[in-house]
Amino acid sequence: MKLGIAALQWMIFMIAAAIVAPIAIADLYQLSAVETAGFMQRTIFVLGVAGLLQGLLGHRLPIHEGPAGLWWSVFTIYAGFIGVLYTSNIAALQALSGGLLVSGVFFIILAASGFIGVLAKLFTPTVTFVYLMLLVLQLSGSFIKGMFGISADHPTMDPWMALLSAIVIIATFTFGRSKAMWVRQYSVIFSLILGWGLFLVAGKAPSVSSAHTWFDVPKLFAFGAPTFDSGVITTAIFITLLLITNLVASVRLMEGIVAKDEPSDPKRYRRGGLISGVNQLFGGGFSAIGSVPISGAAGFVTQTGQKSIKPFLIGCVLVIGITLFPPIMNVMSALPAPVGYAVTFVIFTNMVIMALKELKKITVGEENAYLVIGISLMVGVGVMFLSPSATQGLPAAVIAVLNNGLIVGSIFAIILEQFFLFREKEPKRG
């Protein structure tokens, strides 16, 4: 019974965190209602499979997979190329499917070569602190807008949604700190159900759309055969290098929670990289959004205290299962977005706590470490304020990076820290 509830909690959390991206991208590409439903089904199906493969064969940690923010950026950029580089929206999506396939192959090559293990060593407490703080800062704006009911279609704040979201936040904090262990363990599912109920009573919950069939298997190459061009291949290779950063950070964080008393397993990164490559291939094959292990899983595990991988694996199986049944999928899709944002807001406050704990681990070269942190945070947050129009005309891969302060700041932190370490070793060589 407890295992089942914990698995259901993982399932709802994974789906709630994954719904926004495919809907937003489908809108950008002006897909029909049927095409949008299929795109969402395939994306969530791939995410479920990706999490299951990682849990069984890859890093073997309870880290769910979500739509990669970098791929989301690339999809957004390529939507602007319709009518310029590509004759139609479908042609652009075919090119992106090809890009995901290229990314998968490159991911596997890098993992097999041991590159990911080398990168993992660069994630010191200083770099991890910068990564976590930038992650929270980058997402905080989306959380607030989502809880206030602000969107492209509704640019003004909805006071009722803001009030209900505040209630959900308070409830999530309360459940997560309850003296009763069973309440803490299932705090996320209690909060999601409570929030959904409040929004239903207030008439703010979206209606459940009707399904055209009871059973549907995700289709391979739904938009047609993938295409390959130099632009998308270059972009895919560059994005893969940056996705490895997300993978390493997510694995390192979760290792510190579920296996903190055990030595880090170097093979974990290689296995995780190989499976991440396979998952990118799945994304391209099923015409979905590329996936990546989500660092927020560490906050989820901290909030619920559920460190066992069993409920996570069952949750992944449930996610895969319900994508085969459109009526159930449609019900899950009707979860009010502000509820998901409110619960995730609480989960990400745990990420700030983790970041501060990483800061305490810095004992050597503190002055240089704080300088690295200061510069990296300034650069990363500054990039977040860049207008998308400021990068127009640049290659797609460069635009995707410059639209992502998390990646820019983290790369700065790695480079600066290695520079200072090199300078400290230099006199000893002389």
Side-chain angles (χ1 to χ4, degrees):
M1 181 66 177
K2 290 181 179 180
L3 183 63
I5 296 174
L8 185 65
Q9 180 171 243
W10 264 114
M11 181 199 78
I12 296 175
F13 178 67
M14 285 189 274
I15 292 175
I19 286 172
V20 176
I23 291 175
I25 290 172
D27 182 58
L28 277 174
Y29 284 83
Q30 298 181 339
L31 299 182
S32 67
V34 174
E35 288 173 329
T36 299
F39 186 55
M40 184 168 67
Q41 176 206 31
R42 293 191 303 276
T43 295
I44 295 177
F45 172 80
V46 167
L47 296 179
V49 172
L52 186 63
L53 288 177
Q54 286 285 17
L56 291 173
L57 305 173
H59 49 62
R60 298 174 187 170
L61 293 168
I63 307 173
H64 68 290
E65 297 269 328
L70 283 165
W71 275 121
W72 191 345
S73 297
V74 171
F75 270 81
T76 302
I77 294 162
Y78 271 72
F81 295 158
I82 298 171
V84 180
L85 296 179
Y86 302 102
T87 56
S88 66
N89 59 342
I90 300 300
L93 289 167
Q94 288 171 338
L96 288 165
S97 292
L100 279 161
L101 295 176
V102 171
S103 174
V105 173
F106 192 49
F107 228 125
I108 292 171
I109 292 172
L110 290 175
S113 68
F115 173 79
I116 296 177
V118 174
L119 183 62
K121 295 177 182 178
L122 301 179
F123 267 74
T124 61
T126 301
V127 174
T128 305
F129 173 81
V130 170
Y131 177 87
L132 285 172
M133 289 305 299
L134 288 174
L135 177 64
V136 173
L137 291 170
Q138 186 171 47
L139 294 175
S140 59
S142 299
F143 293 158
I144 297 298
K145 287 180 182 178
M147 290 186 293
F148 284 6
I150 298 172
S151 63
D153 298 328
H154 195 278
T156 57
M157 171 184 167
D158 186 322
W160 270 109
M161 282 193 177
L163 175 62
L164 294 174
S165 296
I167 294 172
V168 175
I169 288 175
I170 294 169
T172 308
F173 272 120
T174 304
F175 292 146
R177 283 154 181 76
S178 171
K179 292 181 180 180
M181 179 60 72
W182 66 274
V183 175
R184 273 185 298 182
Q185 289 180 331
Y186 309 121
S187 59
V188 170
I189 195 170
F190 289 155
S191 302
L192 288 169
I193 292 172
L194 172 66
W196 202 340
L198 289 173
F199 272 73
L200 281 170
V201 172
K204 295 291 183 179
S207 58
V208 179
S209 57
S210 58
H212 298 284
T213 179
W214 278 97
F215 184 82
D216 186 33
V217 178
K219 298 175 179 62
L220 280 168
F221 302 120
F223 297 123
T227 58
F228 304 89
D229 59 61
S230 57
V232 78
I233 290 173
T234 304
T235 300
I237 290 173
F238 196 56
I239 293 302
T240 303
L241 290 170
L242 300 176
L243 286 176
I244 291 172
T245 304
N246 284 70
L247 168 67
V248 170
S250 298
V251 171
R252 189 183 180 284
L253 285 171
M254 191 59 79
E255 263 192 330
I257 295 172
V258 303
K260 60 182 178 181
D261 297 325
E262 302 172 17
S264 180
D265 180 5
K267 294 180 181 178
R268 197 189 297 276
Y269 295 98
R270 185 182 181 189
R271 294 197 308 265
L274 289 169
I275 297 300
S276 286
V278 173
N279 292 340
Q280 300 304 307
L281 293 175
F282 271 113
F286 281 97
S287 304
I289 307 170
S291 67
V292 70
I294 301 298
S295 300
F300 176 87
V301 171
T302 303
Q303 172 74 15
T304 61
Q306 290 277 6
K307 298 179 182 181
S308 172
I309 197 170
K310 286 184 180 179
F312 167 73
L313 294 175
I314 298 172
C316 289
V317 172
L318 292 175
V319 168
I320 296 168
I322 70 164
T323 60
L324 305 178
F325 299 92
I328 303 176
M329 192 72 229
N330 289 352
V331 171
M332 293 302 304
S333 301
L335 173 71
V339 175
Y341 281 118
V343 173
T344 309
F345 178 89
V346 175
I347 288 170
F348 270 79
T349 59
N350 290 315
M351 307 294 281
V352 177
I353 296 170
M354 290 177 206
L356 295 174
K357 287 181 178 178
E358 289 292 326
L359 199 59
K360 288 182 178 180
K361 296 177 184 178
I362 301 171
T363 55
V364 180
E366 287 187 8
E367 187 175 339
N368 286 340
Y370 294 151
L371 182 59
V372 169
I373 289 169
I375 294 173
S376 302
L377 288 178
M378 285 283 287
V379 172
V381 174
V383 167
M384 293 177 194
F385 284 97
L386 278 179
S387 168
S389 60
T391 56
Q392 284 182 354
L394 296 173
V398 177
I399 296 174
V401 175
L402 291 180
N403 284 338
N404 194 315
L406 169 64
I407 293 299
V408 174
S410 298
I411 291 174
F412 255 84
I414 291 172
I415 293 173
L416 285 172
E417 184 172 54
Q418 291 305 307
F419 170 73
F420 283 123
L421 289 173
F422 176 78
R423 281 189 61 184
E424 287 176 4
K425 292 177 183 178
E426 210 170 23
K428 295 179 182 179
R429 294 178 179 177

